[in-house]
Amino acid sequence: MLEVVLGHLEALVGFDTRNPPRAMDTGGIFDYLRAQLPGFRIEVTDHGAGAVSMLAVRGTPRRVFNVHLDTVPDSPAWSADPHRLRVEGGRAIGLGACDIKGAAAGLLAAAARTTGDAAFLFSTDEEANDARCINAFLAGDHGFSEAVIAEPTGCEAVLAHRGISSVLMRFKGSAGHASGADAIEASALHQAMRWGSRALELVEGEAHQRFGGLSGLRFNIGRVEGGIKANMIAPSAEVRFGFRPLPSMSIDALHGRLRGLAPDTALGHYEETFRGPPLPAGDIADAEDRRLAARDLADALGLPIGNAVDFWTEASLFSAAGLTALVYGPGDIAQAHAADEWVTIDQLQRYAESITRILRGHDGGQQ
């Protein structure tokens, strides 16, 4: 099986699916996938802007396996062609090998060794914070009640992770000479820095919060821009920040608290530019019940359960739509997005064998 998996992975890595620029269409990698899935009903959808998805269904399953095919861009730090798979030292090295084309290769290998019900959803927009593929799928009449989303989890089932929210803030000031007595209050940059200090204090005050092995609120001010020069009062400033809440935290309530740290006289604009719910998603009061349902699913599938993680995945979108969802895939998140990213061949084999077992119905559940 490992030879088959590596053959698929070599082909998949060879397709340029970097995102950005997300220059994909319904051919290319999707032609390859079609050819590997005889007996499946195939539906390929172009969602625009290079976002393409493919749903492959055999029989009448109620569980869907999802894997994204897009990768981050490569960097100059790569030591060889990122689109040419190398296998050395027990590792498969190539752009997307870890995140997460290795799982796609495993699904293809498992499909060829089984004949029972199966459903695979391949998507291409996970790396852009622009979930057109998954949102369109979930908005339709899909008929699935369970979802297993592939991300690098070391072949352990992850039942919970943080949400994510990204924000653009603009502060307003009054231009003038920096020698003025009002420079301290009039500068938009000064207001932004005051807000940042208050925001950091707020986040530190949430360190005691806990859920499923995770603790506290993750927060990052990623970019601050504004002003003209040292002797001029800054008339405007822009801040981009993000936070990653626990499933037990309300994203809307956190926005209210963070926005409220800036006086109305200084705040010109506050906009959430991206939101991903936590896993499990939904009503905060139901978070633990949903996590336990995902644990039951992992047990039924015979998957080892790992710790909750800090990174975000699209599993939360499936959870928000009412499906029981968990994250499971080969590889280590530490290798994702890195130069010369790699996944161990042992984990590739373990993942493919586990999917084969599940598709054969050895999990004790319905297929």
Side-chain angles (χ1 to χ4, degrees):
M1 174 167 266
L2 179 58
E3 183 178 351
V4 175
V5 173
L6 290 174
H8 286 312
L9 184 54
E10 181 178 23
L12 295 173
V13 167
F15 289 101
D16 184 354
T17 57
R18 290 173 294 177
N19 185 7
R22 200 164 73 184
M24 286 165 270
D25 57 29
T26 57
I29 196 169
F30 293 101
D31 287 338
Y32 180 83
L33 294 173
R34 285 188 193 93
Q36 311 310 313
L37 295 170
F40 280 74
R41 304 186 299 277
I42 305 291
E43 180 181 352
V44 178
T45 305
D46 189 339
H47 304 279
V52 181
S53 65
M54 172 176 156
L55 178 63
V57 180
R58 184 175 63 191
T60 57
R62 61 180 177 84
R63 179 183 309 123
V64 62
F65 293 85
N66 165 244
V67 56
H68 70 87
L69 302 170
D70 55 325
T71 72
V72 295
D74 58 308
S75 74
W78 276 80
S79 63
D81 183 351
H83 289 112
R84 187 168 185 173
L85 189 71
R86 291 174 284 153
V87 180
E88 53 189 51
R91 300 175 176 180
I93 306 165
L95 185 58
C98 175
D99 189 11
I100 181 81
K101 289 181 176 180
L107 292 178
L108 295 178
R113 290 198 168 203
T114 58
T115 58
D117 294 350
F120 306 144
L121 176 64
F122 301 96
S123 56
T124 60
D125 57 3
E126 194 272 346
E127 298 292 2
N129 290 343
D130 179 22
R132 300 183 184 203
C133 295
I134 302 304
N135 287 337
F137 168 78
L138 293 172
D141 186 17
H142 54 75
F144 298 103
S145 60
E146 299 171 352
V148 178
I149 289 72
E151 291 289 357
T153 65
C155 287
E156 294 181 331
V158 167
L159 313 181
H161 64 61
R162 296 179 182 274
I164 184 172
S165 181
S166 300
V167 178
L168 165 64
M169 289 183 77
R170 293 194 179 101
F171 292 83
K172 55 188 178 181
S174 299
H177 197 283
S179 64
D182 62 343
I184 293 293
E185 295 298 328
S187 171
L189 275 173
H190 293 176
Q191 294 293 348
M193 294 174 73
R194 290 190 182 95
W195 173 86
S197 178
R198 298 182 192 117
L200 292 171
E201 289 181 1
L202 183 155
V203 171
E204 290 169 354
E206 298 297 313
H208 65 285
Q209 300 285 358
R210 300 284 189 277
F211 183 90
L214 302 174
S215 63
L217 173 65
R218 295 290 188 268
F219 176 83
N220 181 59
I221 299 175
R223 189 178 183 92
V224 179
E225 295 180 291
I228 302 168
K229 56 185 299 189
N231 63 351
M232 296 179 65
I233 298 173
S236 63
E238 183 175 288
V239 175
R240 291 184 179 271
F241 74 92
F243 61 86
R244 296 172 182 256
L246 301 174
S248 55
M249 294 176 171
S250 166
I251 293 180
D252 288 331
L254 286 168
H255 277 301
R257 295 173 65 190
L258 289 165
R259 191 184 191 284
L261 297 177
D264 290 340
T265 54
L267 184 59
H269 183 77
Y270 187 102
E271 174 190 359
E272 184 182 48
T273 58
F274 177 77
R275 175 183 295 201
L279 178 72
D283 190 333
I284 293 173
D286 296 334
E288 181 60 15
D289 289 340
R290 287 171 176 259
R291 189 186 71 83
L292 293 176
R295 187 188 67 182
D296 290 343
L297 173 58
D299 287 341
L301 298 181
L303 302 178
I305 297 175
N307 296 325
V309 296
D310 288 313
F311 60 87
W312 184 80
T313 81
E314 290 182 327
S316 62
L317 302 179
F318 290 86
S319 177
L323 284 76
T324 299
L326 58 83
V327 191
Y328 175 70
D332 188 329
I333 195 64
Q335 304 306 322
H337 302 185
D340 291 340
E341 73 169 276
W342 52 268
V343 57
T344 65
I345 59 175
D346 287 345
Q347 287 210 8
L348 289 174
Q349 181 165 353
R350 189 187 316 167
Y351 176 80
E353 289 176 347
S354 67
I355 299 300
T356 301
R357 173 181 52 77
I358 291 170
L359 294 183
R360 284 176 175 164
H362 294 175
D363 58 316
Q366 296 178 343
Q367 292 293 323

